[in-house]
Amino acid sequence: MTTTAPVHPVDEVPPVRQLAAFGLQHVLAMYAGAVAVPLIVGSAMKLSPADLAYLITADLLVCGIATLIQCIGFWRFGVRLPIMQGCTFAAVSPMVLIGTTGGGLPAIYGSVIVAGLAIVLLAPVFGRLLRFFPPLVTGTVILIIGLSLLPVAGNWAAGGVGSPEFGEPKNLALAGFVLLVVLGVQRFAPGFLSRIAVLTGIVVGLAVAVPFGFTDFDGIGDADWLGISTPFHFGAPTFEFSAIVSMLVVALVTMTETTGDLIAVGEMTDRKVEPRSLADGLRADGLSTVLGGVFNTFPYTAYAQNVGLVGMTRVRSRWVVATAGGILVLLGLLPKLGAIVAAIPAPVLGGAGLVMFGTVAASGLRTLAQVDFKGNNNLTVVAVSVAMGMLPVGVPTIYEKFPDWFQTVMNSGISAGCLTAIVLNLLFNHLPAKAGSAEAGPEAGGLAGGGVEEGVDKSREEAV
């Protein structure tokens, strides 16, 4: 008799009912972040409400297509892991600058297309850098991702940045209620229901929010039933040198962030990311970014909030997130559905976000638990990297006197912390130690032989 090989949890296809529920949960987790980028950029450029609505529907459509490419994949595009794609916040400041200094949307889209092509070309190079991401670096990066997202959840819980009722006790009370519902469902509900604890918390929170006046459904009536994004709706792209340079810097930042997210999901799903699959995932980012420039939207990257949802629910199927991508495509084609989702109050999302983003940080700690901190400088690597990652989160204006390219890199806590962790790991664990120093011996936690990189080529577990 022949036996079929067991299917990896990443490749399992749950029943349709579960696919729909799990997929919707992922959409709700990332929706606010997904629409924030076109709202910020469009508002800064003083676009009309109709153009803003067009930007949002185009963004949702390409978010869905990008997610499908990443999860399902074709040829050498797509990491084939449960990764949700959305517009990167790293590009917001450069795009606002490009759009408001005379270039307009055509200059933005020209630079986005070039950046996407650059990511596709650079993907194999980044893939070969995976050996410099041992658990010491990956655990630190995952921890920084989670910590840097927590202020986002806090702002949601308080009512959303810019809300006239920001910080009102009723907002925090609603967020706290949703948090308690999520925790209660996860702890006491039976199997399937416990895995959609975030979705349940959002639905219950929305049901409570309606009678207390938290919701505004006026936008639903104004939204169109059908909306189709056409290529170059705002005009043919223009290619300005300064805009392209700034967007190429953004491309390097998003590649660094995506690398951290892909490694994190690989850890959570027990399917380690290898150099080839990392390059495939980054190549999908590049293709999605090119599509963004063509279909009137912006650069794309993996969304860390959904990484936390994978870790929290322990649902590892990539087909769940592919279903979420399909839902986003529908929301992009049916603006009225998108308006319904947009009516969910920020405090409801904040209560759920606290659990999800905290889960990302806890996953980083779990990875760091594999690292030996005795008789070496690994604790210093973690400490300084977390500090550098948290600086722009705690003090957002700390680098405002620096050049634009520097701000683009260092204002992202994720990229700042990731780059610091890589450099310090190279400094302490890869370079030859001084003769007679404590690090010179093979027991120091660095590489045996004081810089011989034989340990780097081992699996990450063996290299610790």
Side-chain angles (χ1 to χ4, degrees):
M1 294 178 62
T2 58
T3 58
T4 57
V7 178
H8 192 282
V10 168
D11 298 318
E12 285 183 348
V13 182
V16 174
R17 177 175 62 92
Q18 295 185 14
L19 275 175
F22 291 146
L24 180 59
Q25 186 170 240
H26 272 282
V27 170
L28 295 179
M30 60 82 69
Y31 188 89
V35 301
V37 174
L39 274 176
I40 295 170
V41 175
S43 299
M45 295 180 63
K46 297 180 171 54
L47 296 182
S48 67
D51 285 342
L52 272 177
Y54 192 94
L55 280 183
I56 291 172
T57 54
D59 175 38
L60 292 173
L61 175 64
V62 182
C63 273
I65 295 171
T67 300
L68 291 170
I69 293 172
Q70 195 69 274
C71 294
I72 299 175
F74 67 93
W75 191 51
R76 297 296 302 277
F77 291 86
V79 71
R80 295 166 175 83
L81 285 173
I83 292 287
M84 203 82 181
Q85 297 285 106
C87 282
T88 174
F89 283 86
V92 169
S93 296
M95 288 192 302
V96 169
L97 187 64
I98 295 167
T100 56
T101 54
L105 285 172
I108 292 176
Y109 294 139
S111 63
V112 167
I113 291 171
V114 174
L117 294 173
I119 293 173
V120 172
L121 295 175
L122 290 173
V125 177
F126 261 71
R128 287 193 288 271
L129 296 178
L130 189 61
R131 62 181 187 149
F132 297 113
F133 285 84
L136 173 64
V137 174
T138 59
T140 303
V141 172
I142 297 168
L143 174 61
I144 292 170
I145 291 171
L147 293 177
S148 64
L149 285 171
L150 285 174
V152 176
N155 284 324
W156 287 347
V161 176
S163 169
E165 297 184 336
F166 186 86
E168 289 282 348
K170 65 177 185 179
N171 292 334
L172 296 172
L174 178 58
F177 171 73
V178 172
L179 175 61
L180 291 176
V181 171
V182 171
L183 294 176
V185 170
Q186 190 173 10
R187 173 63 182 86
F188 298 109
F192 169 68
L193 196 58
S194 69
R195 292 187 172 186
I196 55 168
V198 170
L199 177 61
T200 305
I202 291 174
V203 171
V204 173
L206 181 60
V208 171
V210 171
F212 284 96
F214 282 91
T215 51
D216 180 9
F217 294 111
D218 292 342
I220 298 175
D222 298 333
D224 296 327
W225 279 105
L226 183 65
I228 299 176
S229 299
T230 55
F232 308 126
H233 174 79
F234 295 99
T238 59
F239 301 93
E240 299 183 8
F241 180 77
S242 59
I244 290 172
V245 170
S246 62
M247 204 57 65
L248 288 176
V249 175
V250 170
L252 293 175
V253 173
T254 57
M255 291 178 80
T256 305
E257 293 181 350
T258 298
T259 298
D261 290 330
L262 297 185
I263 292 173
V265 172
E267 298 277 352
M268 292 175 179
T269 58
D270 295 324
R271 176 174 280 181
K272 303 295 183 185
V273 174
E274 303 296 336
R276 174 167 175 153
S277 57
L278 173 59
D280 292 347
L282 293 173
R283 206 176 276 112
D285 260 14
L287 175 60
S288 302
T289 298
V290 172
L291 290 176
V294 173
F295 286 96
N296 320 294
T297 178
F298 308 115
Y300 284 85
T301 187
Y303 259 29
Q305 46 262 61
N306 296 88
V307 174
L309 190 58
V310 171
M312 176 188 166
T313 62
R314 298 182 294 279
V315 177
R316 295 180 281 180
S317 171
R318 61 191 172 106
W319 297 103
V320 164
V321 181
T323 302
I327 294 173
L328 284 174
V329 170
L330 280 177
L331 293 178
L333 295 175
L334 302 173
K336 200 171 284 290
L337 284 180
I340 294 173
V341 177
I344 298 174
V348 173
L349 297 174
L354 287 171
V355 186
M356 294 186 299
F357 303 162
T359 301
V360 178
S363 298
L365 293 176
R366 183 177 61 187
T367 301
L368 287 173
Q370 307 172 29
V371 180
D372 180 13
F373 288 102
K374 296 179 181 178
N376 55 45
N377 294 296
N378 287 341
L379 194 63
T380 302
V381 175
V382 177
V384 177
S385 301
V386 172
M388 291 299 294
M390 291 299 100
L391 268 182
V393 176
V395 191
T397 58
I398 189 169
Y399 299 122
E400 66 177 8
K401 304 295 184 184
F402 285 74
D404 291 340
W405 67 267
F406 187 90
Q407 292 185 50
T408 300
V409 176
M410 299 303 290
N411 273 343
S412 166
I414 298 172
S415 64
C418 183
L419 292 173
T420 304
I422 293 171
V423 171
L424 292 183
N425 180 55
L426 289 172
L427 175 65
F428 287 114
N429 293 331
H430 287 246
L431 294 180
K434 290 187 292 186
S437 69
E439 292 86 355
E443 73 281 357
L447 298 178
V452 179
E453 294 195 5
E454 60 186 65
V456 184
D457 293 321
K458 299 178 182 179
S459 69
R460 291 199 295 277
E461 292 83 353
E462 295 171 328
V464 177

